[in-house]
Amino acid sequence: MADRAFERLFTQAAVETEETFEREDPEHRKQKRQRTVEDQLRKMTDDMTAKDAIQRILLADKDRDYFRMLALPLPEVDALGRPTWNVTPIEVSKAYRKLSILVHPDKNPGDEARQAFEVLNKAHRLLKDAGELETILKDHLSKAKARKEEEEARATVEERVVLIAQQQEEAKTLRKQEADALNTEIVRQMKEKQEKAMKKKEAEAASKYRRCKNIVDRNSGSDSDEEDAKKRALEAAQKTGDNSESDDEDAQRRRQALAKRRQQQLRKKPAL
């Protein structure tokens, strides 16, 4: 109760201070009106005119709030204090197409429409890139925590007890999921390492087998060459021997023919 009373007193004092500034400083009143308009644009999601959408996109780019720019749910914080955003790339593209048609420069002439269209394209590209999205979520972590703390501050004591119990149970589940994921990753890496070692071993065995086979083939080729050479020499020797026998037979026939002719000449020669 004391906390609630202190909060009311603090809020009342802040309002009184704000009213004093408004009465004394016209520029302050102008800035307040501007902030009011900007806040209304930030909260606007449906039934927007093209002009409202263009101004809202440019304001979101100024805030670097690509989630509000595309009228998408804001990031949240899980029980372990990590940013989460359960929006699919398909949902991002759907939101982008809806706004891009509304603020397209062909339908809205002027520099603001062109600039808003370019900024919208940039936001669409960043939110669909996993690496860029991770960085953006980290940048929005403090805002997400602040929103969560505001929600918890508005809760009653009973509601806070329930919230704390839910967060503890969620944290337990998330830690178990992290442990399971870590074990799965370790098993995957070990299996991949074993497969690489097995492939390397098989490659070394295959290389060794090819080297041994080449050596055997070379030795077999040398023995075969030697056998071929011996065979050719033997055939040549046989051919040489056959030729010699043929020459001797020819010489003998010639001698016999010569002796026969001499005998015939002696018979024809008259006696003295």
Side-chain angles (χ1 to χ4, degrees):
M1 295 294 294
D3 292 342
R4 293 291 178 88
F6 177 77
E7 184 177 350
R8 285 197 297 272
L9 289 173
F10 181 80
T11 303
Q12 183 178 357
V15 170
E16 292 175 355
T17 304
E18 188 77 15
E19 290 176 350
T20 302
F21 272 116
E22 288 181 2
R23 289 194 299 268
E24 295 177 356
D25 188 358
E27 182 64 26
H28 182 75
R29 290 197 298 271
K30 181 179 178 180
Q31 292 177 359
K32 183 179 179 181
R33 286 194 298 270
Q34 180 65 26
R35 287 196 301 270
T36 302
V37 172
E38 290 180 352
D39 289 340
Q40 291 175 349
L41 286 172
R42 290 186 180 97
K43 295 176 182 179
M44 191 178 297
T45 55
D46 299 324
D47 300 327
M48 289 185 293
T49 64
K51 182 178 180 181
D52 289 338
I54 291 171
Q55 294 298 326
R56 187 175 181 279
I57 289 171
L58 294 177
L59 178 61
D61 181 55
K62 176 183 175 182
D63 297 338
R64 293 182 60 81
D65 193 341
Y66 302 114
F67 309 104
R68 291 187 188 277
M69 181 187 298
L70 289 169
L72 292 169
L74 298 176
E76 297 178 352
V77 181
D78 64 13
L80 299 179
R82 301 172 306 185
T84 60
W85 194 56
N86 300 320
V87 177
T88 65
I90 295 176
E91 292 172 329
V92 174
S93 295
K94 184 178 179 181
Y96 162 75
R97 284 193 296 270
K98 180 180 178 181
L99 284 172
S100 64
I101 293 172
L102 184 61
V103 303
H104 200 283
D106 291 346
K107 297 181 180 179
N108 304 279
D111 291 339
E112 286 189 341
R114 177 186 56 77
Q115 184 179 356
F117 188 72
E118 292 175 354
V119 167
L120 192 63
N121 279 305
K122 174 185 175 183
H124 178 229
R125 185 181 69 255
L126 291 176
L127 293 182
K128 289 191 69 176
D129 185 284
E132 294 290 347
L133 177 59
E134 184 178 358
T135 302
I136 294 171
L137 287 175
K138 288 179 179 179
D139 292 341
H140 281 257
L141 179 59
S142 58
K143 294 181 180 178
K145 286 183 176 179
R147 287 192 298 270
K148 184 176 182 179
E149 290 171 357
E150 288 177 2
E151 292 177 0
E152 293 175 351
R154 290 194 296 268
T156 63
V157 175
E158 293 79 5
E159 291 173 342
R160 289 183 183 180
V161 171
V162 174
L163 286 174
I164 292 173
Q166 290 177 347
Q167 289 176 359
Q168 289 176 346
E169 187 64 26
E170 182 184 355
K172 182 179 178 181
T173 302
L174 290 173
R175 289 191 183 97
K176 184 177 183 303
Q177 290 176 353
E178 283 186 344
D180 292 342
L182 180 60
N183 290 334
T184 302
E185 179 63 17
I186 292 173
V187 171
R188 186 194 66 80
Q189 291 181 2
M190 291 178 63
K191 185 177 180 181
E192 183 179 353
K193 187 176 181 180
Q194 290 174 352
E195 289 177 352
K196 288 182 178 179
M198 182 63 69
K199 289 180 179 179
K200 183 178 179 181
K201 187 176 180 180
E202 291 175 353
E204 291 176 350
S207 177
K208 184 177 180 180
Y209 170 77
R210 287 193 297 269
R211 289 196 302 269
C212 293
K213 188 175 182 300
N214 290 336
I215 293 172
V216 171
D217 290 343
R218 284 197 299 269
N219 293 335
S220 299
S222 300
D223 295 341
S224 178
D225 291 342
E226 291 179 1
E227 292 177 0
D228 290 342
K230 291 179 180 179
K231 186 183 292 185
R232 287 194 298 269
L234 182 58
E235 291 176 353
Q238 291 175 351
K239 288 181 180 179
T240 303
D242 293 342
N243 292 334
S244 299
E245 292 177 359
S246 178
D247 291 342
D248 292 341
E249 291 174 357
D250 291 341
Q252 187 176 0
R253 284 195 296 271
R254 285 195 298 271
R255 286 194 297 269
Q256 291 175 355
L258 181 60
K260 188 177 182 180
R261 283 197 301 270
R262 287 180 180 178
Q263 289 176 0
Q264 290 175 355
Q265 289 176 358
L266 289 174
R267 290 194 192 99
K268 291 180 181 179
K269 187 177 180 182
L272 295 177

